[in-house]
Amino acid sequence: MASATVPLLDDDTIPFGEEDDMRDPSQAGQKYTHPYVTFFHLFFRGASIVIYMFCGWFSDSFITSFVFVVLFLSADFWTVKNISGRLLVGLRWWNYVDDDGKSHWVFESKNGRVNKHEQRIFWLGLILCPLFWGLFFLMALFGLKFKWLLLVMIAIALNAANLYGYIKCNYGAGKDLNSAATDFVKTQLFKNAVDMMTKPSAGAPPTNVRPTGVV
């Protein structure tokens, strides 16, 4: 069977994988190479959770709260799927329909340097927010708040879609999701352990100081 040709995305301003070539050289050495993208990656996710938790303080209307939460959830889904995943971790997932009407899912990963600070923030935001919504789901379910349960289910669906897509991108589209998630957790634990072991102690002298002589 001949492999299907993946069509190019018409709305790509910068081809996928060539973002580093367009980066401003003055940003080299900075802790965050995409500070605004990193901010909005967390802003929309956090704002939707905060609005859900405290909307009752400002309005008694369920419709108003529902609309605002869904708006921020939609902005978060679009930002994470199309911008922050591509720039912060070099991953992208998307879908297209071929001439026969068959839907195809594409999971891409570019080879290149990734800012480790932005990468950590990206994955923490991607994983922690669905956990919050899972907690809200249990609270709404056992509290018999079925109208809020619908809103929480929408949030879980949008958050889980991005989480699933980027895990597939990171570990390969053909790999089982359970094994991919297990490998991801092991990798993160190993990285954290290595960082703790290799981090210099507060009282240790800097390694780049050379001795000036023996007194």
Side-chain angles (χ1 to χ4, degrees):
M1 180 182 297
S3 59
T5 302
V6 178
L8 297 176
L9 293 181
D10 296 333
D11 59 346
D12 268 0
T13 304
I14 303 174
F16 180 68
E18 299 182 9
E19 295 86 353
D20 292 338
D21 299 334
M22 306 298 294
R23 186 178 300 169
D24 187 354
S26 63
Q27 294 180 339
Q30 293 184 0
K31 185 175 181 179
Y32 297 100
T33 53
H34 306 94
Y36 296 108
V37 176
T38 305
F39 169 78
F40 283 106
H41 174 73
L42 298 177
F43 173 75
F44 291 125
R45 316 204 112 211
S48 60
I49 292 176
V50 171
I51 293 174
Y52 176 83
M53 294 176 61
F54 301 107
C55 59
W57 292 9
F58 306 100
S59 174
D60 294 330
S61 173
F62 170 76
I63 299 299
T64 301
S65 303
F66 185 94
V67 169
F68 272 96
V69 173
V70 170
L71 283 176
F72 276 94
L73 286 171
S74 302
D76 166 68
F77 178 81
W78 186 90
T79 301
V80 174
K81 180 181 179 296
N82 297 298
I83 300 179
S84 63
R86 174 176 176 170
L87 295 179
L88 301 185
V89 291
L91 303 174
R92 181 174 69 167
W93 66 273
W94 50 286
N95 172 270
Y96 74 95
V97 179
D98 60 20
D99 296 335
D100 298 328
K102 185 177 180 181
S103 179
H104 299 270
W105 293 92
V106 182
F107 304 91
E108 298 178 303
S109 175
K110 73 173 183 179
N111 295 322
R113 293 181 301 174
V114 175
N115 185 296
K116 64 178 182 179
H117 300 290
E118 295 178 346
Q119 183 184 44
R120 185 178 295 111
I121 290 176
F122 175 84
W123 285 110
L124 283 175
L126 201 67
I127 295 172
L128 291 180
C129 289
L131 296 180
F132 278 103
W133 288 112
L135 177 62
F136 295 152
F137 175 84
L138 295 177
M139 294 173 62
L141 179 64
F142 290 108
L144 303 179
K145 300 177 180 179
F146 297 110
K147 61 180 182 180
W148 292 104
L149 193 63
L150 173 62
L151 178 57
V152 173
M153 290 174 65
I154 294 174
I156 291 176
L158 293 176
N159 280 259
N162 268 324
L163 179 61
Y164 175 86
Y166 283 117
I167 289 179
K168 281 285 191 179
C169 291
N170 201 36
Y171 292 99
K175 194 169 186 178
D176 180 69
L177 183 60
N178 290 329
S179 60
T182 302
D183 290 345
F184 174 77
V185 173
K186 290 180 179 178
T187 301
Q188 294 302 313
L189 291 176
F190 177 76
K191 286 182 178 179
N192 291 334
V194 170
D195 290 341
M196 292 178 62
M197 294 175 62
T198 57
K199 185 177 180 180
S201 60
T207 57
N208 59 347
V209 177
R210 292 183 292 179
T212 57
V214 179
V215 179

